[in-house]
Each structure stands twice: as structure tokens, then as C-alpha cells.
Amino acid sequence: YQRRVHGDHSQDRMSFKRFVELGRVCVVNYGADEGKLCVIINVIDQSRAYVDGPATLTGVTRQAINFKRLSLTDIVVPGVTPGMKLKSLQKKFADAKVMEKWAATSEAKKRARQLARASLNDFDRFKVMVAKQSKRQAIGVVGAKPAAAKPAAAGAAAKKAKK
């Protein structure tokens, strides 16, 4: 047990790091823009934000959107001001390398895998199934320990040696 001195908050850690703030990059998780990135450019009230894609880069037009339809990411575009003009936002978005940062996240990779899986036809799904089966067999053959064969052979050899 370690006693903390009054006023010493060096051990306090904030567990939540994704705050609703200007410049926060979000993913739309519902509706026509599902899966697309957007940037918060203003907070309207406790349940809605004013977001912009920018549309030329992500496809999300400037609109008010409910927070329930957004997933906050760790990415923040610095220097975003309330109601920022489209050209300025595009420049800051590009300078922050948001698309590259997003592509490197596990969430983006997961979404890409899901899209790839969803676009498979029946024959492609069959090929995936066959590949999984052959992988399992290869792992089973290489990773399998012939434990049952060794003791029986050792026992037979020991009996022969006694005779």
C-alpha cells in the first residue's frame, strides 16, 4: 500500500483519451457515409457535432451528425477552428497525414478485411475454405507429437532386449 500525499496527482492516470474536440477525426458508423472519415469542426450541443470530411478527400459533406453515429479515433487534426473553410481544412487534413495514419490503425485494417470478405463470391469463399483446411492439416502434421507411437516402440524394444 502506497500512501499518496495530498495534492500529489502524479499517479492519477486518465483512462479515457478520446475526447470530443475540434479537429478530432471520426468514423461514421451508420447511414449513407458509413465507414468514411470526418473531422469535427464544431460542437452543436451534447448530442450533435458539425463535421466535414473534407468531401473531396473522404466523401463526407459538411453536416450536423449525431454522436451516436460517430466513432472517435485517436487521430486529431491540429489547428481546426470553428466553422473552418473547406480549403483550409483540406490543407490541414493533408498536412496531418490523416489518411496514412488511419490506414495504419487496427480498426482500418479490420474494416478492410471485412469489406474484402463481403465482396467474395461463392467460389472465392470455397477457395478460402480449402486454404484453411490445408493450413490446419499442415499445422497438425508439423505440430503433432507422435507420443503414442514412441512408448509402444520403446516397450517392444525393451522386451526384445530382455530376451
Side-chain angles (χ1 to χ4, degrees), residues 140-153:
V141 170
V142 173
K145 295 179 183 177
K150 283 185 179 178

mmCIF file of all heavy atoms in Angstrom, residues 140-153:
data_model
loop_
_atom_site.group_PDB
_atom_site.id
_atom_site.type_symbol
_atom_site.label_atom_id
_atom_site.label_comp_id
_atom_site.label_asym_id
_atom_site.label_seq_id
_atom_site.Cartn_x
_atom_site.Cartn_y
_atom_site.Cartn_z
ATOM 1 N N GLY A 140 -1.191 -29.376 -38.201
ATOM 2 C CA GLY A 140 -1.404 -30.600 -37.445
ATOM 3 C C GLY A 140 -0.299 -31.608 -37.673
ATOM 4 O O GLY A 140 0.169 -32.252 -36.732
ATOM 5 N N VAL A 141 0.201 -31.747 -38.918
ATOM 6 C CA VAL A 141 1.258 -32.709 -39.221
ATOM 7 C C VAL A 141 2.568 -32.249 -38.613
ATOM 8 O O VAL A 141 3.286 -33.011 -37.974
ATOM 9 C CB VAL A 141 1.403 -32.884 -40.757
ATOM 10 C CG1 VAL A 141 2.645 -33.685 -41.097
ATOM 11 C CG2 VAL A 141 0.173 -33.553 -41.316
ATOM 12 N N VAL A 142 2.898 -30.987 -38.773
ATOM 13 C CA VAL A 142 4.163 -30.464 -38.257
ATOM 14 C C VAL A 142 4.137 -30.363 -36.746
ATOM 15 O O VAL A 142 5.086 -30.734 -36.072
ATOM 16 C CB VAL A 142 4.461 -29.068 -38.887
ATOM 17 C CG1 VAL A 142 5.671 -28.445 -38.242
ATOM 18 C CG2 VAL A 142 4.648 -29.208 -40.380
ATOM 19 N N GLY A 143 3.028 -29.880 -36.194
ATOM 20 C CA GLY A 143 2.947 -29.649 -34.758
ATOM 21 C C GLY A 143 2.586 -30.890 -33.950
ATOM 22 O O GLY A 143 2.705 -30.902 -32.739
ATOM 23 N N ALA A 144 2.141 -31.961 -34.610
ATOM 24 C CA ALA A 144 1.698 -33.145 -33.882
ATOM 25 C C ALA A 144 2.893 -33.915 -33.331
ATOM 26 O O ALA A 144 3.913 -34.065 -33.994
ATOM 27 C CB ALA A 144 0.886 -34.052 -34.799
ATOM 28 N N LYS A 145 2.745 -34.394 -32.111
ATOM 29 C CA LYS A 145 3.799 -35.197 -31.484
ATOM 30 C C LYS A 145 3.346 -36.655 -31.495
ATOM 31 O O LYS A 145 2.317 -36.982 -30.901
ATOM 32 C CB LYS A 145 4.031 -34.731 -30.050
ATOM 33 C CG LYS A 145 4.566 -33.329 -29.966
ATOM 34 C CD LYS A 145 4.739 -32.917 -28.529
ATOM 35 C CE LYS A 145 5.214 -31.488 -28.444
ATOM 36 N NZ LYS A 145 5.321 -31.028 -27.067
ATOM 37 N N PRO A 146 4.066 -37.507 -32.151
ATOM 38 C CA PRO A 146 3.666 -38.924 -32.180
ATOM 39 C C PRO A 146 3.974 -39.596 -30.847
ATOM 40 O O PRO A 146 4.829 -40.465 -30.740
ATOM 41 C CB PRO A 146 4.487 -39.504 -33.334
ATOM 42 C CG PRO A 146 5.675 -38.605 -33.444
ATOM 43 C CD PRO A 146 5.222 -37.254 -32.993
ATOM 44 N N ALA A 147 3.282 -39.153 -29.800
ATOM 45 C CA ALA A 147 3.531 -39.639 -28.441
ATOM 46 C C ALA A 147 3.105 -41.099 -28.295
ATOM 47 O O ALA A 147 3.750 -41.868 -27.595
ATOM 48 C CB ALA A 147 2.793 -38.779 -27.434
ATOM 49 N N ALA A 148 2.042 -41.516 -28.934
ATOM 50 C CA ALA A 148 1.543 -42.876 -28.789
ATOM 51 C C ALA A 148 2.476 -43.879 -29.462
ATOM 52 O O ALA A 148 2.641 -44.992 -28.991
ATOM 53 C CB ALA A 148 0.146 -42.981 -29.378
ATOM 54 N N ALA A 149 3.128 -43.502 -30.541
ATOM 55 C CA ALA A 149 3.989 -44.413 -31.279
ATOM 56 C C ALA A 149 5.297 -44.665 -30.540
ATOM 57 O O ALA A 149 5.817 -45.760 -30.552
ATOM 58 C CB ALA A 149 4.270 -43.851 -32.666
ATOM 59 N N LYS A 150 5.840 -43.671 -29.876
ATOM 60 C CA LYS A 150 7.140 -43.814 -29.221
ATOM 61 C C LYS A 150 7.117 -44.795 -28.045
ATOM 62 O O LYS A 150 7.965 -45.679 -27.978
ATOM 63 C CB LYS A 150 7.658 -42.445 -28.769
ATOM 64 C CG LYS A 150 8.208 -41.635 -29.905
ATOM 65 C CD LYS A 150 8.830 -40.348 -29.403
ATOM 66 C CE LYS A 150 9.401 -39.547 -30.560
ATOM 67 N NZ LYS A 150 9.979 -38.284 -30.125
ATOM 68 N N PRO A 151 6.170 -44.686 -27.120
ATOM 69 C CA PRO A 151 6.195 -45.623 -25.989
ATOM 70 C C PRO A 151 5.996 -47.073 -26.422
ATOM 71 O O PRO A 151 6.615 -47.973 -25.877
ATOM 72 C CB PRO A 151 5.044 -45.165 -25.102
ATOM 73 C CG PRO A 151 4.836 -43.730 -25.443
ATOM 74 C CD PRO A 151 5.196 -43.630 -26.887
ATOM 75 N N ALA A 152 5.146 -47.308 -27.404
ATOM 76 C CA ALA A 152 4.916 -48.680 -27.862
ATOM 77 C C ALA A 152 6.188 -49.237 -28.482
ATOM 78 O O ALA A 152 6.577 -50.370 -28.246
ATOM 79 C CB ALA A 152 3.767 -48.705 -28.861
ATOM 80 N N ALA A 153 6.867 -48.450 -29.281
ATOM 81 C CA ALA A 153 8.103 -48.905 -29.909
ATOM 82 C C ALA A 153 9.183 -49.109 -28.856
ATOM 83 O O ALA A 153 9.969 -50.054 -28.911
ATOM 84 C CB ALA A 153 8.553 -47.893 -30.949
#
